[in-house]
Amino acid sequence: MRGYTEPDPREDLSGQDMLRKLVILARVAGMAIEPNEVDVELLLPGDGWHERGVDEFMAKTRELDGTFAQRRASAIEQGEYLCFLGSVSREAATGALTTVTPEHPCFGLRGTDSVVMIRTVRYPTPLVIKGPGAGPEVTAAGVLADILTAARESTNQVD
C-alpha cells in the first residue's frame, strides 16, 4: 500500500472516513447532524466488505479494477478526472465518486492531496485550501475546522 488511504483501507473504500469527515465539518459549521443523515455513495458494491480481513478485502477489491478502469477511461475521454467529493451545505451532507472538469480545484490532485472549498452567500467564488490529506501533516479538513472555529469565535465577540 502506498499510504493513500486510512491505515485500514476499508474505512476509505466503504465511505466511512468520508462520512465521519462530513459529520465533523457540518457540526463545526453549526449543523445538528447525525451520521445516518449523511448520504455517501459506497465505492464498493454489495454487502460484506467490512467483515473481511484487510488482506482478503484487498484481494477482493482487485475484482473491481476493470470497472474503475472503465470509469476512469470514460472520464479521461471527456477531459475530466474522477474524484471522491464530499459536500456540506445547509440542505445536506453528501459524498460520491464523481467527475470534475479542468476548471475544478480538485482536478489533477496527486497522491494524498486534498482540497477544501468554502463558498458563502457573500463570496460565491470559493476560498480553496489545498494540501496534504494524510500523514502527519495538517489535513485540509483540519485547517477548515480551525478556520470555522476562529470565524465563529470572532463572530461571537462582535456586538
Side-chain angles (χ1 to χ4, degrees), residues 8 41 47 51-52 57 59 62 84 88 97 106 112 116 118 121 150 152 155 157 159:
D8 182 344
E41 172 191 301
D47 295 325
E51 288 80 31
R52 302 172 189 276
F57 172 87
R62 288 182 181 81
F84 194 43
V88 174
L97 184 64
C106 292
T112 62
V116 174
I118 303 168
V121 173
R152 186 174 40 215
T155 302
Q157 294 174 5
D159 293 325

Side-chain angles (χ1 to χ4, degrees), residues 66-110:
T67 301
F68 282 102
Q70 186 177 23
R71 285 181 79 174
R72 183 176 179 268
S74 177
I76 290 170
E77 281 179 27
Q78 301 295 319
E80 297 176 337
Y81 187 82
L82 277 178
C83 211
F84 194 43
L85 295 180
S87 175
V88 174
S89 69
R90 290 180 195 198
E91 293 78 35
T94 61
L97 184 64
T98 189
T99 57
V100 293
T101 63
E103 297 78 27
H104 195 282
C106 292
F107 187 87
L109 284 175
R110 299 289 182 249

Side-chain angles (χ1 to χ4, degrees):
M1 289 189 228
R2 297 181 184 175
Y4 294 149
T5 68
E6 290 295 310
D8 182 344
R10 297 173 296 182
E11 293 297 306
D12 279 328
L13 297 175
S14 69
Q16 292 303 301
D17 186 57
M18 166 84 68
L19 185 143
R20 278 192 301 275
K21 288 175 180 172
L22 291 171
V23 168
I24 291 166
L25 290 172
R27 287 178 178 173
V28 167
M31 295 171 61
I33 191 167
E34 295 300 324
N36 64 342
E37 297 173 285
V38 178
D39 183 21
V40 175
E41 172 191 301
L42 301 180
L43 294 175
L44 306 170
D47 295 325
W49 287 90
H50 221 73
E51 288 80 31
R52 302 172 189 276
V54 174
D55 292 336
E56 181 185 357
F57 172 87
M58 291 307 294
K60 181 83 173 150
T61 61
R62 288 182 181 81
E63 296 174 11
L64 303 173
D65 286 352
T67 301
F68 282 102
Q70 186 177 23
R71 285 181 79 174
R72 183 176 179 268
S74 177
I76 290 170
E77 281 179 27
Q78 301 295 319
E80 297 176 337
Y81 187 82
L82 277 178
C83 211
F84 194 43
L85 295 180
S87 175
V88 174
S89 69
R90 290 180 195 198
E91 293 78 35
T94 61
L97 184 64
T98 189
T99 57
V100 293
T101 63
E103 297 78 27
H104 195 282
C106 292
F107 187 87
L109 284 175
R110 299 289 182 249
T112 62
D113 284 349
S114 290
V115 170
V116 174
M117 297 185 309
I118 303 168
R119 287 189 176 98
T120 68
V121 173
R122 290 189 186 124
Y123 302 102
T125 301
L127 168 65
V128 177
I129 303 166
K130 188 174 189 175
E137 298 88 5
V138 176
T139 65
V143 171
L144 176 60
D146 291 345
I147 290 169
L148 293 173
T149 299
R152 186 174 40 215
E153 289 174 3
S154 67
T155 302
N156 291 338
Q157 294 174 5
V158 176
D159 293 325

